[in-house]
Amino acid sequence: MKSGVLSIALYPGTFDPITFGHIDIAVRASQIFSKVIAVVATNPAKNPLFTPQERVEMAREALKNVPDVEVISYDGLVVDCMREYNATAIIRGLRAVSDIDYEFQMAFTNRKMLESAETVFLMPSAEYVYLSSTLVKQIARHGGEIGQFVPDCVKQRMLEKVAV
Ligand code: ADP
């Protein structure tokens, strides 16, 4: 199949937790690909605040109104997930130049493992360029307002989590 209009794209990430920046990219991707699968990577090396199950639940709730987007969790290589779901593209969000080194490394490594794996970089709306899950967690831990960065469902879970 010709890649592009009719193809399936994976959108892998830690999503710890999902933010308006992630959602912005998912919406843009859904306008390009026929189906987008947000893949919550278990990623224990990153020591996530939320369990994979919690991250999936929040992402599902946050993306429920975005057409043609579904959310799964996956414990394995992105290229194996691509094979399993017949995906041809990997979506990644690019914020600043500082993202590029790491993203290039991953994109070329994924292509080495699966030649057909194309990584597609999308830029968020300017208001989300400096937004990251890490920042949101730091603000929440110090009692700051996070409602402008994450949807309500995430805000509630975050408040419960940091209160423990
Ligand atoms: P990872 O650990 O794989 O980087 P993240 O959950 O931090 O997982 O990010 C997943 C993807 O979403 C990455 O491509 C990242 O660049 C992108 N992303 C995260 N926040 C934003 C944002 N504010 N704007 C655009 N893309 C973003």
Side-chain angles (χ1 to χ4, degrees):
M1 194 198 336
K2 193 174 173 184
S3 59
V5 183
L6 287 173
S7 53
I8 298 172
L10 298 190
Y11 177 31
T14 314
F15 300 102
D16 184 44
I18 190 165
T19 69
F20 286 138
H22 290 121
I23 297 168
D24 179 291
I25 297 295
V27 169
R28 288 172 200 280
S30 75
Q31 289 161 356
I32 301 172
F33 294 92
S34 52
K35 185 161 146 192
V36 175
I37 306 174
V39 182
V40 176
T42 39
N43 235 344
K46 274 202 158 186
N47 213 355
L49 177 64
F50 292 96
T51 66
Q53 180 64 27
E54 288 171 324
R55 285 180 272 142
V56 166
E57 284 167 12
M58 286 186 284
R60 283 202 178 128
E61 179 64 24
L63 296 169
K64 70 179 179 202
N65 295 322
V66 187
D68 307 315
V69 175
E70 63 178 77
V71 181
I72 62 164
S73 74
Y74 196 80
D75 185 16
L77 295 173
V78 170
V79 288
D80 287 333
C81 192
M82 288 181 85
R83 290 188 185 102
E84 210 168 298
Y85 287 85
N86 279 323
T88 51
I90 301 167
I91 303 293
R92 296 288 291 175
L94 266 194
R95 286 163 289 192
V97 178
S98 52
D99 279 344
I100 287 182
D101 241 11
Y102 174 65
E103 293 296 340
F104 268 40
Q105 209 179 335
M106 284 215 304
F108 282 114
T109 307
N110 282 327
R111 194 187 265 166
K112 263 233 145 42
M113 291 188 285
L114 178 65
E115 213 190 319
S116 61
E118 289 297 346
T119 302
V120 176
F121 295 107
L122 297 175
M123 286 182 299
S125 160
E127 64 189 299
Y128 303 132
V129 160
Y130 295 104
L131 179 52
S132 70
S133 301
T134 305
L135 211 68
V136 171
K137 285 181 278 193
Q138 279 171 0
I139 296 168
R141 281 193 186 108
H142 292 98
E145 170 55 44
I146 56 169
Q148 56 187 314
F149 307 125
V150 295
D152 258 359
C153 59
V154 174
K155 181 177 162 179
Q156 289 316 320
R157 294 245 193 168
M158 185 68 99
L159 294 178
E160 288 161 24
K161 194 63 114 177
V162 296
V164 181

mmCIF file of all heavy atoms in Angstrom, residues 11-17 19-22 25 43 46 91-95 99 102-103 106 122-124 128-133, ligand 1:
data_model
loop_
_atom_site.group_PDB
_atom_site.id
_atom_site.type_symbol
_atom_site.label_atom_id
_atom_site.label_comp_id
_atom_site.label_asym_id
_atom_site.label_seq_id
_atom_site.Cartn_x
_atom_site.Cartn_y
_atom_site.Cartn_z
ATOM 1 N N TYR A 11 1.956 6.318 17.482
ATOM 2 C CA TYR A 11 2.438 7.518 18.179
ATOM 3 C C TYR A 11 2.948 7.065 19.549
ATOM 4 O O TYR A 11 2.196 7.031 20.512
ATOM 5 C CB TYR A 11 1.283 8.519 18.283
ATOM 6 C CG TYR A 11 1.605 9.793 19.040
ATOM 7 C CD1 TYR A 11 2.886 10.342 19.046
ATOM 8 C CD2 TYR A 11 0.611 10.467 19.735
ATOM 9 C CE1 TYR A 11 3.163 11.509 19.732
ATOM 10 C CE2 TYR A 11 0.874 11.643 20.417
ATOM 11 C CZ TYR A 11 2.155 12.158 20.411
ATOM 12 O OH TYR A 11 2.427 13.313 21.102
ATOM 13 N N PRO A 12 4.210 6.642 19.602
ATOM 14 C CA PRO A 12 4.727 6.078 20.854
ATOM 15 C C PRO A 12 5.215 7.156 21.818
ATOM 16 O O PRO A 12 5.700 8.201 21.399
ATOM 17 C CB PRO A 12 5.918 5.233 20.374
ATOM 18 C CG PRO A 12 6.394 5.916 19.139
ATOM 19 C CD PRO A 12 5.218 6.610 18.518
ATOM 20 N N GLY A 13 5.078 6.875 23.093
ATOM 21 C CA GLY A 13 5.585 7.804 24.097
ATOM 22 C C GLY A 13 5.391 7.232 25.487
ATOM 23 O O GLY A 13 4.798 6.159 25.652
ATOM 24 N N THR A 14 5.889 7.966 26.453
ATOM 25 C CA THR A 14 5.715 7.535 27.842
ATOM 26 C C THR A 14 4.367 8.040 28.381
ATOM 27 O O THR A 14 3.723 7.366 29.186
ATOM 28 C CB THR A 14 6.883 8.056 28.716
ATOM 29 O OG1 THR A 14 8.115 7.801 28.036
ATOM 30 C CG2 THR A 14 6.916 7.359 30.062
ATOM 31 N N PHE A 15 3.975 9.217 27.932
ATOM 32 C CA PHE A 15 2.682 9.804 28.319
ATOM 33 C C PHE A 15 2.482 9.779 29.833
ATOM 34 O O PHE A 15 1.484 9.280 30.329
ATOM 35 C CB PHE A 15 1.522 9.093 27.604
ATOM 36 C CG PHE A 15 1.589 9.157 26.105
ATOM 37 C CD1 PHE A 15 2.029 8.062 25.365
ATOM 38 C CD2 PHE A 15 1.246 10.311 25.423
ATOM 39 C CE1 PHE A 15 2.114 8.121 23.961
ATOM 40 C CE2 PHE A 15 1.325 10.389 24.020
ATOM 41 C CZ PHE A 15 1.751 9.286 23.309
ATOM 42 N N ASP A 16 3.464 10.338 30.546
ATOM 43 C CA ASP A 16 3.460 10.259 32.023
ATOM 44 C C ASP A 16 3.337 11.642 32.658
ATOM 45 O O ASP A 16 4.313 12.124 33.246
ATOM 46 C CB ASP A 16 4.754 9.564 32.475
ATOM 47 C CG ASP A 16 4.781 9.354 33.979
ATOM 48 O OD1 ASP A 16 3.755 8.933 34.530
ATOM 49 O OD2 ASP A 16 5.818 9.616 34.609
ATOM 50 N N PRO A 17 2.201 12.311 32.598
ATOM 51 C CA PRO A 17 0.943 11.932 31.948
ATOM 52 C C PRO A 17 0.798 12.646 30.594
ATOM 53 O O PRO A 17 1.626 13.480 30.242
ATOM 54 C CB PRO A 17 -0.094 12.501 32.932
ATOM 55 C CG PRO A 17 0.535 13.794 33.375
ATOM 56 C CD PRO A 17 2.026 13.540 33.407
ATOM 57 N N THR A 19 -0.379 15.328 28.029
ATOM 58 C CA THR A 19 -0.567 16.780 28.184
ATOM 59 C C THR A 19 -1.266 17.338 26.933
ATOM 60 O O THR A 19 -1.436 16.626 25.940
ATOM 61 C CB THR A 19 0.783 17.510 28.310
ATOM 62 O OG1 THR A 19 1.459 17.427 27.039
ATOM 63 C CG2 THR A 19 1.660 16.902 29.401
ATOM 64 N N PHE A 20 -1.582 18.628 26.975
ATOM 65 C CA PHE A 20 -2.172 19.267 25.788
ATOM 66 C C PHE A 20 -1.195 19.230 24.603
ATOM 67 O O PHE A 20 -1.629 19.262 23.456
ATOM 68 C CB PHE A 20 -2.573 20.715 26.098
ATOM 69 C CG PHE A 20 -3.807 20.825 26.959
ATOM 70 C CD1 PHE A 20 -3.875 21.742 28.003
ATOM 71 C CD2 PHE A 20 -4.907 20.014 26.718
ATOM 72 C CE1 PHE A 20 -5.022 21.843 28.794
ATOM 73 C CE2 PHE A 20 -6.060 20.103 27.502
ATOM 74 C CZ PHE A 20 -6.115 21.026 28.549
ATOM 75 N N GLY A 21 0.107 19.160 24.888
ATOM 76 C CA GLY A 21 1.097 19.068 23.806
ATOM 77 C C GLY A 21 0.959 17.736 23.072
ATOM 78 O O GLY A 21 0.931 17.686 21.841
ATOM 79 N N HIS A 22 0.841 16.648 23.838
ATOM 80 C CA HIS A 22 0.637 15.324 23.226
ATOM 81 C C HIS A 22 -0.672 15.305 22.416
ATOM 82 O O HIS A 22 -0.728 14.751 21.317
ATOM 83 C CB HIS A 22 0.497 14.237 24.306
ATOM 84 C CG HIS A 22 1.745 13.929 25.068
ATOM 85 N ND1 HIS A 22 1.832 14.051 26.422
ATOM 86 C CD2 HIS A 22 2.951 13.452 24.659
ATOM 87 C CE1 HIS A 22 3.037 13.668 26.829
ATOM 88 N NE2 HIS A 22 3.738 13.314 25.778
ATOM 89 N N ILE A 25 -0.477 17.020 19.045
ATOM 90 C CA ILE A 25 0.198 16.198 18.023
ATOM 91 C C ILE A 25 -0.722 15.067 17.545
ATOM 92 O O ILE A 25 -0.794 14.773 16.345
ATOM 93 C CB ILE A 25 1.525 15.617 18.593
ATOM 94 C CG1 ILE A 25 2.514 16.738 18.939
ATOM 95 C CG2 ILE A 25 2.151 14.606 17.621
ATOM 96 C CD1 ILE A 25 3.016 17.550 17.756
ATOM 97 N N ASN A 43 8.194 1.635 29.634
ATOM 98 C CA ASN A 43 9.353 2.481 29.927
ATOM 99 C C ASN A 43 9.798 2.560 31.390
ATOM 100 O O ASN A 43 9.943 3.663 31.944
ATOM 101 C CB ASN A 43 9.025 3.903 29.446
ATOM 102 C CG ASN A 43 10.089 4.413 28.482
ATOM 103 O OD1 ASN A 43 11.176 3.835 28.429
ATOM 104 N ND2 ASN A 43 9.786 5.451 27.745
ATOM 105 N N LYS A 46 12.483 5.034 32.719
ATOM 106 C CA LYS A 46 12.172 6.457 32.958
ATOM 107 C C LYS A 46 11.540 6.685 34.324
ATOM 108 O O LYS A 46 11.242 7.809 34.688
ATOM 109 C CB LYS A 46 11.235 6.972 31.860
ATOM 110 C CG LYS A 46 11.962 7.455 30.631
ATOM 111 C CD LYS A 46 11.078 8.420 29.855
ATOM 112 C CE LYS A 46 11.864 9.327 28.944
ATOM 113 N NZ LYS A 46 11.017 10.340 28.303
ATOM 114 N N ILE A 91 4.923 8.528 14.578
ATOM 115 C CA ILE A 91 4.743 9.974 14.793
ATOM 116 C C ILE A 91 5.548 10.392 16.009
ATOM 117 O O ILE A 91 5.490 9.733 17.059
ATOM 118 C CB ILE A 91 3.260 10.299 15.115
ATOM 119 C CG1 ILE A 91 2.323 9.811 14.029
ATOM 120 C CG2 ILE A 91 3.081 11.802 15.392
ATOM 121 C CD1 ILE A 91 2.466 10.505 12.730
ATOM 122 N N ARG A 92 6.275 11.476 15.884
ATOM 123 C CA ARG A 92 6.944 12.067 17.043
ATOM 124 C C ARG A 92 6.710 13.569 17.011
ATOM 125 O O ARG A 92 6.656 14.176 15.936
ATOM 126 C CB ARG A 92 8.452 11.774 17.019
ATOM 127 C CG ARG A 92 8.805 10.305 17.141
ATOM 128 C CD ARG A 92 8.568 9.738 18.522
ATOM 129 N NE ARG A 92 9.501 10.260 19.499
ATOM 130 C CZ ARG A 92 9.428 9.969 20.802
ATOM 131 N NH1 ARG A 92 8.469 9.183 21.280
ATOM 132 N NH2 ARG A 92 10.301 10.472 21.645
ATOM 133 N N GLY A 93 6.582 14.147 18.169
ATOM 134 C CA GLY A 93 6.414 15.600 18.253
ATOM 135 C C GLY A 93 7.778 16.244 18.404
ATOM 136 O O GLY A 93 8.637 15.732 19.121
ATOM 137 N N LEU A 94 7.973 17.342 17.705
ATOM 138 C CA LEU A 94 9.248 18.072 17.828
ATOM 139 C C LEU A 94 8.964 19.407 18.487
ATOM 140 O O LEU A 94 8.171 20.195 17.993
ATOM 141 C CB LEU A 94 9.843 18.338 16.452
ATOM 142 C CG LEU A 94 10.852 17.380 15.876
ATOM 143 C CD1 LEU A 94 11.531 18.020 14.683
ATOM 144 C CD2 LEU A 94 11.883 16.908 16.890
ATOM 145 N N ARG A 95 9.617 19.642 19.605
ATOM 146 C CA ARG A 95 9.412 20.915 20.290
ATOM 147 C C ARG A 95 10.530 21.883 19.942
ATOM 148 O O ARG A 95 10.350 22.855 19.271
ATOM 149 C CB ARG A 95 9.326 20.700 21.802
ATOM 150 C CG ARG A 95 8.009 20.070 22.204
ATOM 151 C CD ARG A 95 8.067 19.497 23.577
ATOM 152 N NE ARG A 95 8.887 18.307 23.606
ATOM 153 C CZ ARG A 95 8.945 17.480 24.613
ATOM 154 N NH1 ARG A 95 8.254 17.726 25.701
ATOM 155 N NH2 ARG A 95 9.690 16.402 24.555
ATOM 156 N N ASP A 99 15.377 18.514 21.028
ATOM 157 C CA ASP A 99 14.765 17.189 20.833
ATOM 158 C C ASP A 99 15.461 16.412 19.714
ATOM 159 O O ASP A 99 15.376 15.189 19.652
ATOM 160 C CB ASP A 99 13.286 17.339 20.411
ATOM 161 C CG ASP A 99 12.344 17.597 21.591
ATOM 162 O OD1 ASP A 99 12.759 17.360 22.740
ATOM 163 O OD2 ASP A 99 11.200 18.012 21.353
ATOM 164 N N TYR A 102 18.283 13.210 19.930
ATOM 165 C CA TYR A 102 17.689 11.969 20.408
ATOM 166 C C TYR A 102 16.701 11.390 19.385
ATOM 167 O O TYR A 102 16.693 10.189 19.106
ATOM 168 C CB TYR A 102 16.990 12.257 21.740
ATOM 169 C CG TYR A 102 16.204 11.118 22.317
ATOM 170 C CD1 TYR A 102 16.833 9.953 22.742
ATOM 171 C CD2 TYR A 102 14.823 11.211 22.462
ATOM 172 C CE1 TYR A 102 16.104 8.909 23.276
ATOM 173 C CE2 TYR A 102 14.088 10.168 23.003
ATOM 174 C CZ TYR A 102 14.724 9.012 23.401
ATOM 175 O OH TYR A 102 13.998 7.982 23.935
ATOM 176 N N GLU A 103 15.926 12.281 18.779
ATOM 177 C CA GLU A 103 14.918 11.825 17.818
ATOM 178 C C GLU A 103 15.573 11.229 16.566
ATOM 179 O O GLU A 103 15.097 10.232 16.035
ATOM 180 C CB GLU A 103 13.983 12.981 17.434
ATOM 181 C CG GLU A 103 13.101 13.463 18.577
ATOM 182 C CD GLU A 103 12.116 12.402 19.071
ATOM 183 O OE1 GLU A 103 11.828 11.437 18.348
ATOM 184 O OE2 GLU A 103 11.643 12.545 20.211
ATOM 185 N N MET A 106 16.819 7.758 17.329
ATOM 186 C CA MET A 106 15.734 6.770 17.355
ATOM 187 C C MET A 106 15.203 6.482 15.969
ATOM 188 O O MET A 106 14.941 5.330 15.611
ATOM 189 C CB MET A 106 14.597 7.274 18.234
ATOM 190 C CG MET A 106 14.901 7.160 19.697
ATOM 191 S SD MET A 106 13.438 6.773 20.604
ATOM 192 C CE MET A 106 12.414 8.122 20.100
ATOM 193 N N LEU A 122 6.067 16.068 13.752
ATOM 194 C CA LEU A 122 5.054 17.130 13.691
ATOM 195 C C LEU A 122 5.356 18.175 14.756
ATOM 196 O O LEU A 122 5.840 17.829 15.843
ATOM 197 C CB LEU A 122 3.659 16.536 13.915
ATOM 198 C CG LEU A 122 3.182 15.521 12.867
ATOM 199 C CD1 LEU A 122 1.841 14.923 13.286
ATOM 200 C CD2 LEU A 122 3.057 16.172 11.499
ATOM 201 N N MET A 123 5.059 19.412 14.458
ATOM 202 C CA MET A 123 5.279 20.481 15.431
ATOM 203 C C MET A 123 3.957 20.857 16.084
ATOM 204 O O MET A 123 2.935 20.946 15.405
ATOM 205 C CB MET A 123 5.855 21.704 14.728
ATOM 206 C CG MET A 123 7.302 21.530 14.346
ATOM 207 S SD MET A 123 7.945 23.010 13.592
ATOM 208 C CE MET A 123 6.906 23.162 12.167
ATOM 209 N N PRO A 124 4.006 21.098 17.394
ATOM 210 C CA PRO A 124 2.758 21.478 18.069
ATOM 211 C C PRO A 124 2.453 22.952 17.829
ATOM 212 O O PRO A 124 3.284 23.690 17.307
ATOM 213 C CB PRO A 124 3.112 21.259 19.538
ATOM 214 C CG PRO A 124 4.564 21.585 19.619
ATOM 215 C CD PRO A 124 5.156 21.113 18.309
ATOM 216 N N TYR A 128 2.357 25.244 22.991
ATOM 217 C CA TYR A 128 2.760 24.013 23.690
ATOM 218 C C TYR A 128 4.230 23.648 23.482
ATOM 219 O O TYR A 128 4.677 22.588 23.903
ATOM 220 C CB TYR A 128 1.881 22.839 23.237
ATOM 221 C CG TYR A 128 0.422 23.098 23.459
ATOM 222 C CD1 TYR A 128 -0.511 22.862 22.446
ATOM 223 C CD2 TYR A 128 -0.044 23.589 24.678
ATOM 224 C CE1 TYR A 128 -1.860 23.111 22.636
ATOM 225 C CE2 TYR A 128 -1.384 23.850 24.879
ATOM 226 C CZ TYR A 128 -2.280 23.607 23.846
ATOM 227 O OH TYR A 128 -3.609 23.864 24.051
ATOM 228 N N VAL A 129 4.951 24.533 22.834
ATOM 229 C CA VAL A 129 6.335 24.215 22.486
ATOM 230 C C VAL A 129 7.194 23.937 23.735
ATOM 231 O O VAL A 129 8.110 23.126 23.697
ATOM 232 C CB VAL A 129 6.934 25.350 21.611
ATOM 233 C CG1 VAL A 129 8.443 25.311 21.627
ATOM 234 C CG2 VAL A 129 6.437 25.231 20.190
ATOM 235 N N TYR A 130 6.890 24.594 24.826
ATOM 236 C CA TYR A 130 7.711 24.406 26.035
ATOM 237 C C TYR A 130 7.062 23.477 27.047
ATOM 238 O O TYR A 130 7.491 23.392 28.190
ATOM 239 C CB TYR A 130 8.035 25.765 26.665
ATOM 240 C CG TYR A 130 8.897 26.591 25.761
ATOM 241 C CD1 TYR A 130 8.372 27.655 25.037
ATOM 242 C CD2 TYR A 130 10.244 26.255 25.574
ATOM 243 C CE1 TYR A 130 9.170 28.388 24.169
ATOM 244 C CE2 TYR A 130 11.043 26.975 24.706
ATOM 245 C CZ TYR A 130 10.505 28.039 24.006
ATOM 246 O OH TYR A 130 11.299 28.746 23.134
ATOM 247 N N LEU A 131 6.026 22.790 26.630
ATOM 248 C CA LEU A 131 5.293 21.939 27.569
ATOM 249 C C LEU A 131 5.826 20.505 27.560
ATOM 250 O O LEU A 131 6.023 19.911 26.509
ATOM 251 C CB LEU A 131 3.802 21.961 27.168
ATOM 252 C CG LEU A 131 2.815 21.140 27.973
ATOM 253 C CD1 LEU A 131 2.933 21.442 29.463
ATOM 254 C CD2 LEU A 131 1.402 21.431 27.480
ATOM 255 N N SER A 132 6.061 19.976 28.758
ATOM 256 C CA SER A 132 6.482 18.574 28.861
ATOM 257 C C SER A 132 5.833 17.949 30.086
ATOM 258 O O SER A 132 5.462 18.662 31.037
ATOM 259 C CB SER A 132 8.009 18.475 28.988
ATOM 260 O OG SER A 132 8.408 18.967 30.250
ATOM 261 N N SER A 133 5.726 16.643 30.070
ATOM 262 C CA SER A 133 5.153 15.932 31.227
ATOM 263 C C SER A 133 5.998 16.193 32.471
ATOM 264 O O SER A 133 5.473 16.334 33.580
ATOM 265 C CB SER A 133 5.107 14.427 30.960
ATOM 266 O OG SER A 133 4.347 14.153 29.821
HETATM 267 P P1 ADP B 1 9.176 9.783 25.251
HETATM 268 O O1 ADP B 1 9.643 9.258 26.569
HETATM 269 O O2 ADP B 1 9.075 8.730 24.187
HETATM 270 O O3 ADP B 1 9.865 11.033 24.775
HETATM 271 P P2 ADP B 1 6.928 11.474 25.866
HETATM 272 O O4 ADP B 1 5.625 11.059 26.453
HETATM 273 O O5 ADP B 1 7.758 12.416 26.661
HETATM 274 O O6 ADP B 1 7.666 10.138 25.536
HETATM 275 O O7 ADP B 1 6.678 12.105 24.436
HETATM 276 C C1 ADP B 1 6.056 11.374 23.420
HETATM 277 C C2 ADP B 1 6.101 12.179 22.139
HETATM 278 O O8 ADP B 1 5.324 13.349 22.296
HETATM 279 C C3 ADP B 1 7.519 12.653 21.784
HETATM 280 O O9 ADP B 1 7.657 12.638 20.384
HETATM 281 C C4 ADP B 1 7.544 14.051 22.297
HETATM 282 O O10 ADP B 1 8.463 14.856 21.584
HETATM 283 C C5 ADP B 1 6.107 14.473 22.025
HETATM 284 N N1 ADP B 1 5.706 15.580 22.874
HETATM 285 C C6 ADP B 1 5.642 15.638 24.219
HETATM 286 N N2 ADP B 1 5.254 16.860 24.639
HETATM 287 C C7 ADP B 1 5.068 17.587 23.514
HETATM 288 C C8 ADP B 1 4.699 18.948 23.250
HETATM 289 N N3 ADP B 1 4.460 19.809 24.228
HETATM 290 N N4 ADP B 1 4.612 19.329 21.973
HETATM 291 C C9 ADP B 1 4.896 18.467 20.976
HETATM 292 N N5 ADP B 1 5.260 17.201 21.138
HETATM 293 C C10 ADP B 1 5.356 16.770 22.386
#
